[in-house]
């Protein structure tokens, strides 16, 4: 039964289960793990110690509901002739965001009290809070996250379109990311991997839990659209489960340092959390294999009960609701255990950050020692963030290609090989030798930059991922924003028309490079994880866009002529070479507070290393430029051949009418003379 024209029907039972079970679980687990035990020095009091885990679990639960409601409204729930469902989900997201914001502020206040060793009633508390709130990582990230959440709390209830909900969903996910910088794993020896693992864990858990809770809240109004909504949510949940398990395993290994740490209280909580994950995996499998099939086989939704405003569930709906509510209870338990783990002291087997290590303090990595002749091949430091991105990109691409092949369509094997090889090259430059030494040596950093911005895009762009996606992804007929609809909206957007202008793409490729290296942004990227991630994203996107406007075959704005593209290419590379020449002659150290303070015992002249980096920027750019120039010229020749062939076919069809008309025109001019 479809939803009635009145106010959308909802239920608050899933919200109650999520809130109650998560709070009970975190209190019990914190008591077991000793996460609220009195401190020997600077104890902030029992209220602060117990408020921290409780506020954190309320914060995480509210964040999950906010994100889940926005994702559900923007991408999953079929649109009807009215917008009542979207409005209901927008209101749910807005209310949850308010709780998220208040819990975030409460966490920031109590966290500072814990770090400062002050009670909230201490006379100096607020003066010290004002003085140091931006200096401490945990409080600074809490302020940034809460500021974004505050915007979401205001904007979400006003959202009435799918696009507005999608932007709000993106903003709510963005608000989660700063929290990864202040987790347990962020203090481990492998700081970057710990932050990456925690970021994947937070986002996947939030989307998974929040999506199911929001789905159950608005289920009474879905009617016959329940089956398709559950099917779409199940696909997202499967990806979230995979990311959750893999990131959890990585974070666990980083935090306990070996299997011996599992016999600690910290390890026991991790084992309980792993059991909860296994139970959730079994429930998810049961949903996909039995429940969803039953819903799709003919569930008719709810039927009215005489004399009441309630609805009697169809058997398939009833089975789904019972199992999903049990799943929410397990999710809430796992959420409480996760928060308690973050408050529990790590075992002695954990590898913590070294003390008094200048290189580690500045870069986040221990000193790898002087590079050898084989460091280009033998030295590796896996960046799990970019490895995951590469693996997902390859797996999804190959699945799309196989889908085309299964239905009898052709997709060139060379495009697939080019795409896969492009990501292999990207992984090498972000995890291999250039990445290991690129964090402390300018010359190696420039190799990494050139590889990500110029070499990898040369292989990725010919893969034509947008063309493949548009051919492989099914179109949604119920006016929802699916992957294909999002791609089409991006391809035809005014933003892409601006960015895909060759002059704009070339300017972003070069001028942003110069601005980046001669501004404080470079030092920020070298010293902070967030800055480093944004730097790599910028390198890859600007390099991909510049390459795409020159040789791309994916659909997009109207292309410039090959001659104009060659002019843009050679002008850009000339500026790029000029930048390299300037670096080779420079005597002023870039990011001086970083490279000048490293004080590497095996490298005493950072200026000489910077000059080598300039020579690399100058020299490495030559080969990709030649390849791009050849590719543009080849496309130019092919376009001429296609135009000649088109004219020949037209002449065969109409007896060369164009030539006859031209001859008549010449004859007429002759008679006039």
């Amino acid at each position: 039964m479809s939803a009635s024209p009145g106010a959308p029907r909802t239920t608050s039972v899933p919200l109650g289960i999520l809130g109650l079970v998560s709070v009970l679980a975190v209190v019990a687990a914190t008591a077991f793990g000793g996460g609220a035990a009195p401190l020997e020095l600077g104890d902030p009091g029992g209220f602060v110690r117990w408020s921290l885990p409780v506020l954190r679990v309320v914060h995480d639960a509210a964040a999950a509901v906010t994100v889940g409601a926005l994702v559900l409204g923007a991408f999953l729930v079929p649109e009807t002739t009215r917008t009542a469902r979207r409005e209901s989900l927008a209101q749910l997201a807005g209310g949850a965001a308010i709780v998220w914001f208040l819990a975030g502020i409460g966490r920031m206040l109590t966290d500072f009290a814990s770090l400062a060793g002050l009670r909230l009633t201490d006379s100096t508390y607020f003066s010290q809070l004002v003085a140091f709130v931006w200096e401490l990582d945990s409080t600074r990230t809490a302020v940034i996250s809460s500021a974004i959440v505050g915007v979401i709390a205001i904007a979400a209830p006003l959202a009435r379109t799918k696009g507005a909900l999608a932007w709000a969903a993106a903003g709510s996910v963005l608000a989660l990311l700063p929290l990864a910088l202040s987790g347990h794993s962020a203090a481990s020896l492998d700081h970057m991997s710990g932050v990456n693992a925690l970021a994947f864990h937070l986002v996947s858990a939030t989307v998974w839990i929040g999506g199911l809770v929001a789905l159950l809240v608005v289920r009474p109004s879905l009617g016959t659209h329940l089956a398709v909504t559950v099917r779409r949510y199940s696909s997202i949940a499967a990806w979230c489960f995979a990311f959750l398990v893999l990131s959890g395993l990585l974070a666990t290994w980083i935090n306990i340092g070996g299997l011996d740490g599992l016999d600690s209280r910290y390890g026991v909580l991790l084992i309980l959390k792993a059991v909860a994950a296994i139970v959730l995996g079994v429930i998810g499998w049961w949903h996909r294999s039995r429940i969803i099939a039953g819903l799709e086989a003919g569930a008719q939704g709810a039927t009215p009960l005489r004399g009441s405003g309630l609805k009697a569930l169809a058997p398939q709906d009833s089975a789904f609701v019972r199992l999903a509510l049990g799943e929410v209870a397990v999710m809430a338990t796992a959420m409480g255990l996760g928060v308690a783990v973050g408050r529990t002291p790590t075992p002695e087997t954990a590898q913590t950050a070294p003390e008094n290590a200048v290189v580690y303090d500045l870069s986040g990595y221990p000193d790898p020692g002087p590079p050898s002749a084989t460091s280009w091949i033998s030295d590796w430091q896996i960046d799990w963030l970019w490895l995951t991105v590469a693996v997902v990109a390859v797996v999804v691409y190959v699945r799309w290609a196989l889908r085309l092949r299964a239905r009898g369509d052709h997709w060139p094997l060379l495009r697939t090989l080019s795409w896969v090889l492009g990501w292999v090259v990207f992984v090498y430059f972000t995890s291999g030798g250039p990445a290991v030494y690129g964090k402390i040596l300018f010359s190696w950093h420039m190799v990494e930059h050139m590889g990500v911005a110029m070499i990898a895009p040369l292989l990725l762009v010919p893969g034509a991922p947008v063309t493949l996606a548009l051919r492989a992804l099914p179109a949604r007929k119920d006016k929802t924003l699916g992957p294909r609809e999002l791609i089409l909206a991006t391809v035809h957007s005014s933003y892409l028309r601006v960015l895909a202008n060759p002059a704009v793409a070339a300017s972003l490729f070069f001028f942003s490079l110069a601005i980046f290296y001669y501004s404080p942004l470079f030092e920020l990227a070298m010293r902070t994880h967030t800055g480093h991630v944004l730097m790599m994203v910028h390198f890859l996107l600007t390099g991909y866009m510049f390459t795409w406007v020159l040789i791309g075959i994916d659909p997009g704005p109207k292309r410039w002529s090959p001659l104009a593209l060659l002019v843009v290419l050679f002008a850009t590379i000339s500026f790029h070479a000029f930048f390299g020449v300037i670096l080779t002659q420079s005597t002023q150290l870039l990011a001086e507070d970083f490279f000048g303070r490293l004080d590497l015992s095996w490298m005493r002249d950072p200026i000489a290393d910077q000059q080598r980096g300039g020579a690399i920027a100058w020299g490495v750019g030559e080969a990709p430029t030649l390849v791009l120039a050849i590719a543009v010229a080849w496309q130019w020749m092919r376009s001429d051949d296609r135009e000649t062939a088109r004219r020949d076919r037209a002449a065969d069809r109409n007896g060369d009418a164009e030539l006859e008309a031209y001859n008549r025109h010449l004859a007429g001019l002759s008679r006039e003379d």
Side-chain angles (χ1 to χ4, degrees):
M1 178 182 297
S2 299
S4 62
R9 299 185 302 275
T10 59
T11 176
S12 60
V13 173
L15 298 174
I17 293 176
L18 178 67
L20 179 61
V21 175
S22 61
V23 170
L24 292 177
V26 76
V27 170
T30 301
F32 171 79
L39 303 178
E40 295 182 2
L41 297 175
D43 183 58
F47 178 79
V48 169
R49 295 197 308 272
W50 282 101
S51 293
L52 280 169
V54 172
L55 284 172
R56 176 58 191 261
V57 82
V58 171
H59 170 279
D60 291 355
V65 175
T66 303
V67 175
L70 292 171
V71 169
L72 203 70
F75 306 112
L76 303 183
V77 175
E79 182 178 340
T80 58
T81 55
R82 55 192 178 81
T83 60
R85 290 173 183 168
R86 287 205 305 270
E87 292 177 2
S88 177
L89 288 165
Q91 294 296 327
L92 174 62
I98 293 175
V99 178
W100 183 5
F101 174 79
L102 295 176
I105 295 299
R107 279 191 60 227
M108 184 269 294
L109 296 175
T110 52
D111 189 42
F112 178 78
S114 178
L115 293 172
L118 299 172
R119 297 177 182 268
L120 295 177
T121 56
D122 193 289
S123 59
T124 63
Y125 170 78
F126 281 104
S127 61
Q128 293 196 41
L129 174 66
V130 173
F132 296 105
V133 66
W134 198 253
E135 302 298 324
L136 302 173
D137 288 341
S138 59
T139 53
R140 181 173 62 251
T141 55
V143 170
I144 295 173
S145 177
S146 297
I148 300 174
V149 174
V151 175
I152 300 300
I154 296 172
L158 303 177
R160 292 295 180 267
T161 65
K162 299 185 294 293
L165 288 173
W167 280 110
S172 62
V173 172
L174 180 64
L176 295 171
L177 299 181
L179 304 177
L181 296 171
S182 57
H184 240 332
S185 300
S188 63
L189 177 63
D190 194 350
H191 167 77
M192 301 300 183
S193 295
V195 171
N196 292 338
L198 187 55
F200 276 113
H201 206 72
L202 282 173
V203 174
S204 56
T206 300
V207 174
W208 185 21
I209 297 172
L212 182 60
V213 172
L215 176 59
L216 287 170
V217 169
V218 298
R219 186 212 58 78
S221 68
L222 293 178
T224 55
H225 291 151
L226 176 62
V228 66
T229 306
V230 174
R231 171 65 71 182
R232 290 170 179 170
Y233 164 76
S234 179
S235 298
I236 294 178
W239 280 101
C240 289
F241 179 75
F243 284 132
L244 191 75
V245 171
L246 294 176
S247 61
L249 289 174
L250 176 59
T252 298
W253 185 259
I254 290 173
N255 288 333
I256 67 175
L259 297 179
D260 294 340
L262 291 177
D263 60 359
S264 62
R265 291 180 180 267
Y266 187 93
V268 171
L269 292 178
L270 287 177
I271 292 174
L272 292 175
K273 190 179 176 184
V275 171
I278 294 173
V279 172
L280 290 173
V282 173
I283 295 176
W285 170 82
W286 190 265
H287 271 302
R288 292 180 67 86
S289 61
R290 301 294 181 86
I291 300 299
I292 298 177
L295 291 174
E296 293 174 337
Q300 297 300 316
T303 56
L305 283 177
R306 182 181 301 176
S308 73
L310 301 176
K311 303 290 178 179
L313 297 178
Q316 297 89 346
D317 284 8
S318 180
F320 165 72
V321 170
R322 288 196 303 270
L323 188 61
L325 288 176
E327 189 176 4
V328 170
V330 179
M331 287 176 168
T333 302
M335 181 180 290
L337 289 171
V339 172
V341 166
R343 299 292 305 169
T344 303
T346 55
E348 296 180 356
T349 55
Q351 293 181 315
T352 58
E355 297 181 0
N356 301 322
V358 176
V359 175
Y360 183 88
D361 292 340
L362 290 174
S363 68
Y365 287 94
D367 184 354
S372 64
T374 61
S375 291
W376 295 100
I377 301 174
S378 60
D379 290 356
W380 286 81
Q381 199 168 59
I382 300 299
D383 190 315
W384 294 100
L385 171 63
W386 300 123
L387 178 62
T388 302
V389 170
V391 170
V392 170
V394 170
V395 169
V396 171
Y397 187 99
V398 172
R399 285 186 61 188
W400 288 344
L402 293 177
R403 186 179 300 175
L404 288 185
R405 182 181 295 272
R407 72 186 189 199
D409 292 340
H410 174 69
W411 184 255
L413 179 60
L414 286 178
R415 290 185 183 178
T416 303
L417 293 177
S418 179
W419 179 260
V420 173
L421 186 58
W423 285 111
V424 170
V425 169
F426 178 79
V427 169
Y428 168 73
F429 282 109
T430 54
S431 295
V436 173
Y437 286 96
K439 296 178 177 65
I440 55 175
L441 295 178
F442 186 87
S443 57
W444 288 68
H445 163 82
M446 191 55 67
V447 173
E448 182 183 21
H449 178 177
M450 295 296 103
V452 171
M454 299 192 71
I455 299 177
L458 277 177
L459 296 165
L460 295 175
V461 170
V466 175
T467 302
L468 175 61
L470 293 178
R471 291 182 59 187
L473 291 172
R476 291 189 179 179
K477 302 183 184 302
D478 53 12
K479 300 181 180 180
T480 52
L481 278 177
R484 191 175 191 277
E485 288 70 25
L486 284 173
I487 293 173
L488 280 174
T490 303
V491 167
H492 298 297
S493 67
S494 57
Y495 303 105
L496 187 62
R497 282 198 298 271
V498 174
L499 293 176
N501 183 297
V504 175
S507 298
L508 288 174
F509 181 73
F510 170 72
F511 290 109
S512 64
L513 170 96
I515 293 173
F516 171 74
Y517 281 107
Y518 285 97
S519 72
L521 295 175
F522 181 39
E523 182 177 337
L524 184 68
M526 299 302 293
R527 298 189 61 162
T528 66
H529 178 67
T530 303
H532 186 78
V533 170
L534 293 177
M535 174 185 69
M536 299 306 295
V537 170
H538 176 74
F539 288 166
L540 181 62
L541 291 183
T542 54
Y544 188 96
M545 182 63 67
F546 179 66
T547 306
W548 179 69
V549 299
L550 294 174
I551 64 171
I553 56 179
D554 280 327
K558 185 178 179 180
R559 305 281 179 175
W560 283 18
S561 68
L563 179 60
L565 292 178
L566 285 174
V567 171
V568 170
L569 171 62
F570 288 116
T572 305
I573 296 305
S574 298
F575 283 117
H576 195 276
F578 180 66
F579 169 76
V581 171
I582 291 178
L583 284 179
T584 60
Q585 300 175 354
S586 63
T587 57
Q588 177 64 38
L589 190 64
L590 301 179
E592 186 172 5
D593 287 341
F594 177 80
F595 290 107
R597 292 177 56 196
L598 284 176
D599 193 25
L600 298 171
S601 59
W602 44 269
M603 204 281 294
R604 290 295 183 181
D605 193 352
I607 290 291
D609 183 67
Q610 179 175 294
Q611 292 172 347
R612 283 193 295 272
I616 291 170
W618 182 9
V620 172
E622 299 299 324
T625 302
L626 178 61
V627 173
L628 285 172
I630 293 174
V632 173
W634 174 255
Q635 290 183 351
W636 191 354
M637 290 187 295
R638 291 190 63 188
S639 65
D640 286 345
D641 292 341
R642 287 193 296 266
E643 179 63 20
T644 301
R646 185 191 66 79
R647 291 181 177 180
D648 290 343
R649 289 193 300 269
D652 293 338
R653 289 194 303 268
N654 55 30
D656 212 352
E658 185 177 353
L659 179 59
E660 292 293 337
Y662 181 68
N663 288 334
R664 288 195 298 271
H665 175 67
L666 292 179
L669 292 177
S670 177
R671 286 193 297 270
E672 290 177 4
D673 291 341

